[in-house]
Amino acid sequence: MNLITQLGITPYDEQEGEEYMCENQLSHFRNYLIAWKNLLLNTSELTAGQIQHDATTIPDANDRASYESNLGFLLKRNGRERKLVTRIDKSISAIENNTYGFCKSCQADIGLKRLEARPVANECIDCKSLAEDAEKI
Ligand SMILES: [Zn+2]
């Protein structure tokens, strides 16, 4: 299932002749980003609750070991989620500043399709692939 369906958001229905990043599009992506952020924050709260469970109260050594490896996994996931929340916040401020939807490197339109799949994208597909090629070298 893709992200937008998971969040229960209706994909944007573009009208003919509509201007790119018009008010309707911006409010669509604002709702989308806020829903995603809320989902991540709710999951993080759950994670924090699981982490608070004290490992020293687990009597069996094997159970304790598997608990601790789970904990490592949860903490790693938590770190990734925090980074994502930061990117979501940046995208929301970009909406407020009217810079949302445009490539940070070449200022081209990122495109509705790409943003629907990845609403925190801040580069067009061309610049993104260039950056990835550079990373490989
Ligand atoms: Zn670009």
Side-chain angles (χ1 to χ4, degrees), residues 2-16:
N2 59 13
L3 180 65
I4 194 160
T5 328
Q6 202 182 342
L7 293 171
I9 290 181
T10 318
Y12 190 76
D13 182 22
E14 194 184 358
Q15 304 300 312
E16 221 184 290

Side-chain angles (χ1 to χ4, degrees), residues 11-99:
Y12 190 76
D13 182 22
E14 194 184 358
Q15 304 300 312
E16 221 184 290
E18 192 179 284
E19 205 186 320
Y20 182 66
M21 289 300 127
C22 64
E23 199 48 52
N24 284 341
Q25 293 182 11
L26 289 176
S27 82
H28 165 76
F29 285 109
R30 194 188 290 116
N31 291 337
Y32 186 174
L33 287 159
I34 290 170
W36 193 13
K37 185 179 164 177
N38 287 340
L39 176 84
L40 288 171
L41 292 180
N42 287 339
T43 333
S44 302
E45 267 167 43
L46 195 83
T47 313
Q50 285 164 314
I51 289 171
Q52 270 159 27
H53 187 83
D54 189 357
T56 56
T57 61
I58 301 171
D60 185 85
N62 284 330
D63 287 351
R64 205 155 49 229
S66 82
Y67 172 81
E68 273 158 10
S69 82
N70 270 336
L71 191 67
F73 167 76
L74 287 176
L75 289 175
K76 226 183 270 166
R77 199 184 68 181
N78 234 357
R80 268 203 306 272
E81 278 167 0
R82 250 200 309 275
K83 269 187 211 146
L84 202 47
V85 168
T86 311
R87 290 196 63 181
I88 293 174
D89 281 336
K90 276 190 192 157
S91 301
I92 295 172
S93 12
I95 291 178
E96 312 302 331
N97 302 328
N98 286 317
T99 55

Side-chain angles (χ1 to χ4, degrees), residues 103 106 124 127:
C103 175
C106 73
C124 70
C127 292

